[in-house]
Amino acid sequence: MLVTTHGLTLDGVIGQVRAAAQAGVSTAWLPQVFGDDALTTLAVAGREVPDIKLGTAVVPTYPRHPLALAGQALTVQSATGGRLTLAVGPSHRATIERAYGYSYDRPVQHVREYLTALAPLLRGEPVEYRGETLTVAGAVDVPAATPPSLMLAALGPAMLRLAGEMTDGTVTLFTGPRTIANHVVPTITRAASEAGRPAPRIVVGLAVCVSDDAPARRELLGAIYAAVGTGGEPSYRSMLDREGVATAVDVAIIGDETTVERELRRYADAGATEFMTTLFGTEEENARTLELIASFG
């Protein structure tokens, strides 16, 4: 479940995490945008709700030096008994250059160097690294903290290869089942195998709603996703084009329980190992959705 933080107090976010745990959902994922700090929120929520795994989806790399991010992630691990998955990603050119003022000219090189430093830091190892885009010198000491699972948000071939080579898996968004089966799974799995790593986790991010009024929910989601794939996030447009669909609503799953279960099964058959579900229905619809999602792990 992808926990919605927009417009909610910390208590409201904790309430969503608790509801997900009570429904039997395996993991609560928090985004990192311009608002609540995802890792800080997960540390608090994890102390309040002990029966659910926790994940970031995703923390942008450019604004956080690997030493700073490693210290924060290991603190969350310590606070929550080792339940964190740390998913990171380079974000998008429009965000990184306009909001943060960093260059986005070499994102693949940046991510490779970032992961080269971050992974050993998460293991508590000292790092002395001077790359073309990044310098890291130091270590992070958080007693008794175990390394979190490290994942990379990846859609294009180069990022997927990095995810397979250097992390435990990937998190996708706005990606349909054919694209998962024909592009994401083979690319990342081949890279993981060549690097001698285990089969990767493939967390598929989807908007899902169990509803008896699918047309109304599609209209609502169309308004929410109106800007997806239209300009500042070309990687999303690329995924929609690979799937052969026009909008992000076309890869959402909306309908009654039978319909939603059938569509989720298509993703599972395509190679999805986990689902990260965005809820956008009524309270009653979201409860139905959570119950169904829980059965998929």
Side-chain angles (χ1 to χ4, degrees), residues 1-49:
M1 174 185 173
L2 183 67
V3 176
T4 301
T5 60
H6 179 70
L8 291 179
T9 64
L10 179 59
D11 285 342
V13 174
I14 292 171
Q16 284 199 359
V17 175
R18 183 173 287 112
Q22 290 172 346
V25 172
S26 63
T27 307
W29 300 88
L30 260 66
Q32 179 63 60
V33 196
F34 297 110
D36 302 64
D37 180 78
L39 283 163
T40 304
T41 303
L42 287 175
V44 176
R47 299 287 283 189
E48 293 285 330
V49 186

Side-chain angles (χ1 to χ4, degrees), residues 105-141:
D105 287 343
R106 306 176 67 192
V108 175
Q109 180 69 19
H110 159 77
V111 170
R112 177 175 290 280
E113 294 186 1
Y114 196 96
L115 293 173
T116 297
L118 179 63
L121 289 171
L122 292 173
R123 297 192 295 267
E125 300 169 8
V127 170
E128 291 283 344
Y129 180 80
R130 187 175 299 275
E132 298 177 33
T133 69
L134 189 70
T135 296
V136 181
V140 174
D141 181 19

Side-chain angles (χ1 to χ4, degrees), residues 3 10 31 49 59 73 86 135 137 154 172 195 215 224 240 269 273:
V3 176
L10 179 59
V49 186
V59 176
L86 177 64
T135 296
T172 72
I224 296 171
L240 297 175
D269 291 344
T273 62

Side-chain angles (χ1 to χ4, degrees), residues 19-249:
Q22 290 172 346
V25 172
S26 63
T27 307
W29 300 88
L30 260 66
Q32 179 63 60
V33 196
F34 297 110
D36 302 64
D37 180 78
L39 283 163
T40 304
T41 303
L42 287 175
V44 176
R47 299 287 283 189
E48 293 285 330
V49 186
D51 301 323
I52 193 167
K53 297 176 184 177
L54 310 162
T56 60
V58 297
V59 176
T61 54
Y62 283 93
R64 301 198 188 198
H65 190 275
L67 279 166
L69 182 57
Q72 193 174 15
L74 289 173
T75 301
V76 177
Q77 277 289 79
S78 178
T80 62
R83 287 180 279 146
L84 177 67
T85 290
L86 177 64
V88 302
S91 188
H92 306 275
R93 181 181 297 274
T95 299
I96 297 306
E97 293 190 343
R98 184 174 63 244
Y100 291 109
Y102 295 119
S103 170
Y104 197 79
D105 287 343
R106 306 176 67 192
V108 175
Q109 180 69 19
H110 159 77
V111 170
R112 177 175 290 280
E113 294 186 1
Y114 196 96
L115 293 173
T116 297
L118 179 63
L121 289 171
L122 292 173
R123 297 192 295 267
E125 300 169 8
V127 170
E128 291 283 344
Y129 180 80
R130 187 175 299 275
E132 298 177 33
T133 69
L134 189 70
T135 296
V136 181
V140 174
D141 181 19
V142 180
T146 58
S149 178
L150 177 61
M151 302 180 70
L152 175 65
L155 298 175
M159 286 295 181
L160 283 167
R161 287 192 291 269
L162 277 183
E165 176 188 344
M166 304 185 72
T167 78
D168 299 323
T170 191
V171 179
T172 72
L173 196 60
F174 306 125
T175 305
R178 287 200 304 271
T179 304
I180 295 293
N182 299 329
H183 168 60
V184 173
V185 171
T187 304
I188 190 174
T189 302
R190 186 181 307 114
S193 177
E194 291 174 353
R197 299 184 65 94
R201 296 171 62 187
I202 298 171
V203 179
V204 174
L206 294 167
V208 181
C209 184
V210 175
S211 174
D212 298 322
D213 191 356
R217 290 296 159 259
R218 290 190 179 279
E219 183 178 358
L220 171 62
L221 192 62
I224 296 171
Y225 283 169
V228 173
T230 63
E233 300 162 343
S235 57
Y236 294 155
R237 182 69 260 164
S238 175
M239 292 300 99
L240 297 175
D241 290 343
R242 280 182 180 272
E243 192 69 16
V245 299
T247 73
V249 179

